[in-house]
Structure formats: C-alpha cells, structure tokens
Amino acid sequence: MLAAIGHALMMSFAMTWEILWALILGFGLSAIIQAVVSKEEMSRLLPDDSARTVAVACGLGAASSSCSYAAVALARSMFRKGANFMAAMAFQFASTNLVVELGILLALLMGWQFTLAEFTGGPLMIAIMVLLFKAFLTPRIVEAARQQADKGIQGRMVGHAAMDMSIHEGTIWQRMFSRQGRTAISHFFVMDWVMIWIDLGGGLLIAGALAAWVPQRFWQAFFLQGHPILSKLWGPLVGPIVAIVSFVCSIGNVPLAAVLWNGGISFGGVIAFIFADLIVLPILDIYRKYYGLKISVFLLAIFYLAMAAAALAVEFVFQILHLIPQERKAQIVEGTIRWNYTTILNIVFLALALVSVIRFFRTGGPAMMRMMNRSGHHE
C-alpha cells in the first residue's frame, strides 16, 4: 500500500517538475496582461449580445487569469455591473480556454496539435454557446439570474473579482516597467498561484495516481479504443463527464488529460475534457449560489452541449487535415530528474519567480491578499 502511494506521489512530482517552468512563464505573462487591463473597463465593454461584444468578451477573457473560480466570480461581478449575461458567459469561457498558460502547457505535455485544437475549438465552442443562448435564453431567465446575482452570495474568489490593481496611465511598456507596474505584476503573479494551487496540485495528484494505479486496458475498454468510429463519437460525450466527477479545473486538468490520452480517449475527447473545467461539481454549486438552481441546470445543459459539439467538430476537422497525432506518447514523466533543458529552464524561471515573490512581500502583498479575502466575505 505504501509503495503504491509512493509511486503515485513520485509520478505527481515528476509531472510537476516537467511543467514547472511553463507554468511560471504562463502565469508571468498572465500577470503582465492583467496589470495593464482594467476590470472596470471590462464591464463597460460588454453592453449587449452582439457579435462584436462577444468577440470583445473573448479577447478580455483571454487576457485574464486562467483560474476557473476567478473567471466565474468575475463574470458575475461584470454581470452585476451591467454587462450582458451572454457576453459575461463568453468571457468566462475564454478566460479558462484561451489563455496563454494553457496553450504552453498543452504544447509541452501533449504536443502542438492539442494547443492548436484548443485555440481553434475554444472560439467554436463559444459560438455554439451563443447560438444556444439565442435559441433558449429568455428575458425571464436573465432577470431571474440577475435577481439572484444581486444578492451577492459569497463564492470562491469573489474577493479577487472585486480587486483591481491594473495600471491605467502611459503606454503598455511604461505601465509594465514602472515601479507601480512591476509591483502590480508581482501581486497578480503570486495571487494567481494562490488561487490555482489547490486545483493544480489536485490535478497533478489525481493524474499521478491514475498513471500509477489504473492499467491501460481499463482506459482502452472505457474509451472504446477497439471501435474506431464509436470511440470518436463517445470521446466528446464522455470527456466532460469525466471532468465533472474529477473535481479538477483550470489548467490542473491538463496533466490528467495527458493520462487519458495515453489511456485511449479520442482526440476530441481530450479537447472536450479540457473544455469542461467550467462544469465541474464545485463550480456547478457556485452557479447555484450565484444564479439559482434552475439556471445552474440550464447552464450545465448549454455548456455541455457546446463543449461536446465543438470537440466533436474539432475531432473530424483535424482528422480530415491529418493533424491528429498517430502515437499516444504524451509527456507525463521523466524517469528521473536529469541535467537537461527542463532542469535549466526550471532553475531560471524559479529565480524569476523568487524575484516576484520577494517584491510581493516587500510591497504589501500579504495585506492586499487579506483585504481581497475580506472583500469576498463582505460583498
């Protein structure tokens, strides 16, 4: 028993070491973007459900944090400040599926084809969601959602959604390299790690356990690998369901996606699994608090259909274009930690992260974090 647990922990540690530099790079780029984009401006830019507004919502989402909980909290905050409900939902989809750190991690662990599929399927998924909303979303549903949202019931990362440390003056380069800009970047960097570490750590632990304990033949049978046509249809349908019950969201589901891909899930199934970070059980409960039980069920149905349909489309388009990898060799672990490019990059980026952490503590970061948490409790 102890040997099995130790094996799973070693697998999780090896996965963490393999992706560490990419995570630091991704969160660093995300922090820079957040430091120059105002959250207040986001709400004003999303007044309706036009195609232009939805496109703006996607751009703003891609420029924000990748934390699923923060995206959901910020979407509600924007909705309460006057943003269109559909546009707010498009924002939170883009915030978790079109962010740079997700693309970097997918390319590193699974290959550039998965990154391309994510950034191709993400906008398609949002477009399908918009069409479904236009068909089924009524003013009565929106009003019920607004009444529940205006109650201000606390959810995870509400405080983060309420805080805005972005710099508004000067060019982008001046904002980035000013003293205030460097401080804001360090705060966003550390706070994003604080937000995501539970989901990321949970994802790595689950992925390590599955890689160590679950035999390949189980996954191959579950994902119908022996039936080429059925598996392509089954993967996008079952991928979100696996995500729902795994409890892992944000970019923490990428290591688990690598395990599922090696296990036999279809290409489209991987994409649907990654898309589904916004319908895991804890977030469904947050929807219930934010918008009410009936609307949370409505959102689950709309989101699931959009995710499965977009992933299925990606499956067939990429097959036609011969872009689906023929070998299932996602980079899950190195046998041992070696002196190679991964180790060198980890050392370099850990040093850069340390600089940000030191600045965070020297510029009132802990006090800011306590204030952020209080703003969530007293919203």
Side-chain angles (χ1 to χ4, degrees):
M1 183 65 179
L2 291 177
I5 294 174
H7 186 201
L9 291 175
M10 283 301 299
M11 295 281 282
S12 299
F13 175 76
M15 292 181 196
T16 304
W17 186 254
E18 187 67 30
I19 65 177
L20 184 58
W21 71 268
L23 288 173
I24 296 173
L25 173 60
F27 279 113
L29 294 174
S30 176
I32 292 172
I33 294 171
Q34 291 179 78
V36 299
V37 179
S38 166
K39 291 180 180 178
E40 193 67 33
E41 186 65 20
M42 291 181 183
S43 298
R44 294 197 298 267
L45 291 173
L46 307 179
D48 51 43
D49 60 358
S50 66
R52 179 183 181 279
T53 297
V54 171
V56 170
C58 292
L60 293 173
S64 65
S65 168
S66 64
C67 175
S68 303
Y69 295 99
V72 172
L74 184 52
R76 183 185 67 158
S77 177
M78 295 163 67
F79 177 51
R80 295 181 65 191
K81 292 178 181 179
N84 178 268
F85 183 72
M86 184 191 303
M89 295 300 102
F91 167 87
Q92 73 177 32
F93 262 55
S95 183
T96 59
N97 289 287
L98 300 179
V99 289
V100 63
E101 53 264 46
L102 176 62
I104 293 173
L105 202 56
L106 281 170
L108 182 65
L109 282 184
M110 306 184 70
W112 63 268
Q113 298 94 331
F114 289 91
T115 300
L116 180 61
E118 178 71 21
F119 285 96
T120 302
L124 176 60
M125 174 178 59
I126 294 172
I128 295 172
M129 181 201 70
V130 168
L131 292 176
L132 291 171
F133 270 147
K134 286 185 178 294
F136 300 106
L137 184 65
T138 65
R140 182 178 178 181
I141 294 176
V142 174
E143 182 57 30
R146 188 177 300 280
Q147 289 178 5
Q148 180 70 16
D150 285 340
K151 293 179 181 179
I153 297 176
Q154 182 189 351
R156 187 173 169 185
M157 295 303 165
V158 171
H160 185 272
M163 300 299 291
D164 191 353
M165 297 175 288
S166 58
I167 314 302
H168 305 149
E169 299 178 356
T171 65
I172 291 179
W173 291 106
Q174 289 172 336
R175 298 178 195 180
M176 286 172 51
F177 292 106
S178 68
R179 183 174 181 178
Q180 186 180 3
R182 285 181 282 120
T183 297
I185 291 170
S186 71
H187 285 217
F188 278 118
F189 178 80
V190 174
M191 289 182 183
D192 279 355
W193 275 102
V194 171
M195 285 190 300
I196 205 75
W197 76 270
I198 293 178
D199 298 291
L200 182 58
L204 287 165
L205 286 173
I206 293 173
L210 293 179
W213 298 343
V214 180
Q216 291 288 91
R217 61 181 179 274
F218 170 82
W219 294 122
Q220 292 168 358
F222 181 74
F223 295 126
L224 306 180
Q225 192 177 23
H227 307 274
I229 297 177
L230 283 178
S231 66
K232 295 182 185 302
L233 299 174
W234 175 244
L237 294 176
V238 76
I241 297 174
V242 175
I244 290 173
V245 299
S246 72
F247 283 76
V248 181
C249 60
S250 304
I251 59 175
N253 60 8
V254 176
L256 182 51
V259 173
L260 298 179
W261 171 248
N262 284 354
I265 194 172
S266 68
F267 186 80
V270 171
I271 302 304
F273 172 82
I274 295 171
F275 283 162
D277 61 343
L278 285 173
I279 57 173
V280 298
L281 288 175
I283 287 184
L284 290 175
D285 186 56
I286 291 176
Y287 292 149
R288 179 188 60 82
K289 293 178 181 178
Y290 282 0
Y291 307 116
L293 178 59
K294 291 183 179 179
I295 296 173
S296 67
V297 174
F298 173 80
L299 291 177
L300 170 60
I302 295 293
F303 291 172
Y304 176 82
L305 289 173
M307 293 165 182
L312 189 61
V314 166
E315 171 81 47
F316 286 106
V317 170
F318 274 56
Q319 182 179 16
I320 292 172
L321 297 176
H322 302 288
L323 291 175
I324 297 178
Q326 297 302 306
E327 296 184 353
R328 296 178 178 270
K329 294 184 178 179
Q331 181 66 35
I332 297 177
V333 294
E334 287 275 356
T336 58
I337 295 177
R338 301 170 181 171
W339 185 254
N340 54 18
Y341 82 95
T342 298
T343 300
I344 294 172
L345 288 172
N346 281 342
I347 293 172
V348 171
F349 280 94
L350 281 171
L352 294 175
L354 181 61
V355 172
S356 290
V357 171
I358 291 173
R359 188 171 188 86
F360 172 81
F361 280 97
R362 287 182 174 177
T363 54
M368 176 70 74
M369 189 173 296
R370 288 192 294 270
M371 186 185 305
M372 181 182 72
N373 292 334
R374 285 198 298 270
S375 69
H377 286 294
H378 294 89
E379 187 191 16

